[in-house]
Amino acid sequence: MTVSVLSCSKEGPERPRMAEACVSLDPGVLLTRSADPQEETISNVNLFVFNSDGDLEERRYLDSRKNGGRIPKLRVGLLTGVEYTLAACVNFSYEIKGISKLEDLKAYRYHLAYPDEYREGIPMTGMTKVTPSLQDTVVLRLERMMSKINVRIDRNGLESGVKLNVARISVRHSPRSAKVFGESKAEGSGDTFAIGFMKSGREADVLNMEEAPGLSRALSLYMMENMQGDLPDGNASCSYIQIEAEYVSDEQYSLPGEYLIYRFYLGERKGNFDIERNCLYEITVRPEGDGLTDAGWRTDRTGLANYQE
């Protein structure tokens, strides 16, 4: 995902002079299902130009709704041979105000009103230093502020007669906000959604459809970055995935309206609770035997009952 900055001025003397920088946005290509956010869409952009002292020189806001559904090219005046910092905040759906220095933008947090607030595209940001010269091209790379989590169910380890039918899957304790630039984490339990991005019913049924024998198709979840680091047992700010499934075996079954529940944290390794922005996580859940033992996750069996003899 790139923002291309092209110097458009003609040849001139070597002393600093005003050049016209032509800015275009290129979201790249990333395939996604229609029920999920449009990962490559750019609907609006806040563009900032800071001088070498970190002071704001220029700020622009473009909204596709006011330009026939497209983001037009943007031109900003820059001095050749002078260092600037260009920064872009994409798909925030509002004009960012109150920024006068680069440090203000680095400290800025983007807030979600609800877990899947991305109708106009996933929020993205990018920043780079440039020293414009005549006929120069600069690339400003954008990063998505959200993580994508692909989940599959591998039922090949289950005993004969054990059936799992996923009814709902959700992200729990996903962040309500994130720093625009730099590493970010939820600032306490009050900065998380108890129930974040969720799919249920027909949307969750993807996990009941086979891609290969015993292996389900992938279902995608999304959440803001949450870099909680290494912790002994996690805390109320750490995000996790919850799977709720109808369960049947030779000995037990799930009660009406109740489910067998699997809960598991994400992270690079055991004891790590980092979920990084702009990253794709591939998770395969493989219950084994009767499917009721804890195997890298926590199993909640309170919704199950025994068959009466």
Side-chain angles (χ1 to χ4, degrees):
M1 183 162 297
T2 61
V3 178
S4 299
V5 182
L6 172 65
S7 176
C8 302
S9 64
K10 299 179 180 179
E11 293 185 2
E14 294 183 359
R15 62 181 178 81
R17 56 171 295 182
M18 185 62 71
E20 186 180 62
C22 304
V23 182
S24 62
L25 302 175
D26 179 9
V29 177
L30 184 60
L31 299 179
T32 180
R33 286 184 290 275
S34 60
D36 293 332
Q38 298 301 309
E39 296 169 350
E40 68 278 2
T41 295
I42 294 178
S43 298
N44 49 79
V45 57
N46 284 274
L47 181 69
F48 300 87
V49 180
F50 299 94
N51 62 26
S52 58
D53 295 323
D55 297 320
L56 182 66
E57 291 263 323
E58 188 168 355
R59 173 175 59 85
R60 296 286 182 86
Y61 178 67
L62 290 176
D63 192 329
S64 63
R65 293 173 297 185
K66 300 178 180 179
N67 294 281
R70 302 183 65 182
I71 297 292
K73 288 186 178 181
L74 178 65
R75 291 174 170 82
V76 293
L78 302 176
L79 290 172
T80 59
V82 177
E83 184 179 89
Y84 295 90
T85 297
L86 297 182
C89 298
V90 173
N91 295 332
F92 283 26
S93 299
Y94 60 84
E95 185 175 0
I96 300 175
K97 298 181 179 180
I99 302 296
S100 59
K101 292 185 173 294
L102 179 58
E103 293 305 313
D104 296 336
L105 188 60
K106 288 183 177 180
Y108 189 83
R109 292 186 75 91
Y110 173 70
H111 292 262
L112 293 172
Y114 44 89
D116 53 354
E117 188 184 10
Y118 43 66
R119 292 181 181 178
E120 297 185 0
I122 287 180
M124 296 177 279
T125 62
M127 181 183 296
T128 190
K129 289 184 178 181
V130 299
T131 304
S133 60
L134 300 178
Q135 304 302 324
D136 188 24
T137 299
V138 179
V139 174
L140 175 60
R141 299 189 182 278
L142 300 179
E143 286 189 335
R144 297 169 182 84
M145 293 178 64
M146 304 185 87
S147 307
K148 180 178 181 180
I149 305 157
N150 282 345
V151 180
R152 290 178 173 84
I153 306 291
D154 184 350
R155 295 173 169 85
N156 286 300
L158 291 173
E159 297 172 351
S160 176
V162 176
K163 304 296 182 184
L164 286 175
N165 188 74
V166 176
R168 186 182 299 117
I169 183 171
S170 58
V171 181
R172 300 298 175 110
H173 294 174
S174 63
R176 290 177 177 268
S177 69
K179 289 180 62 177
V180 171
F181 293 101
E183 188 175 289
S184 179
K185 65 179 181 180
E187 298 184 319
S189 58
D191 190 33
T192 65
F193 295 103
I195 302 177
F197 189 96
M198 178 177 68
K199 289 189 175 181
S200 60
R202 291 183 179 179
E203 291 182 335
D205 208 36
V206 171
L207 293 175
N208 303 317
M209 301 176 184
E210 287 193 344
E211 180 178 76
L215 181 66
S216 79
R217 294 167 55 184
L219 181 147
S220 299
L221 304 170
Y222 297 83
M223 59 172 287
M224 299 290 277
E225 179 179 65
N226 195 8
M227 301 290 285
Q228 292 291 331
D230 294 335
L231 297 168
D233 299 304
N235 59 38
S237 300
C238 295
S239 306
Y240 65 91
I241 305 300
Q242 178 164 303
I243 298 174
E244 301 168 61
E246 297 169 342
Y247 176 85
V248 175
S249 72
D250 293 337
E251 297 180 355
Q252 293 181 292
Y253 64 96
S254 53
L255 295 165
E258 301 289 337
Y259 302 101
L260 171 65
I261 298 175
Y262 295 138
R263 300 185 179 100
F264 56 91
Y265 287 109
L266 300 170
E268 297 297 327
R269 59 192 177 277
K270 185 177 181 180
N272 177 262
F273 299 90
D274 286 337
I275 305 174
E276 189 175 353
R277 73 181 64 195
N278 205 52
C279 287
L280 171 63
Y281 292 83
E282 298 280 1
I283 305 295
T284 299
V285 178
R286 181 184 169 90
E288 296 186 340
D290 60 6
L292 302 180
T293 57
D294 295 339
W297 55 76
R298 297 177 182 176
T299 305
D300 184 343
R301 301 184 289 274
T302 56
L304 302 185
N306 294 319
Y307 289 109
Q308 299 298 320
E309 294 182 359

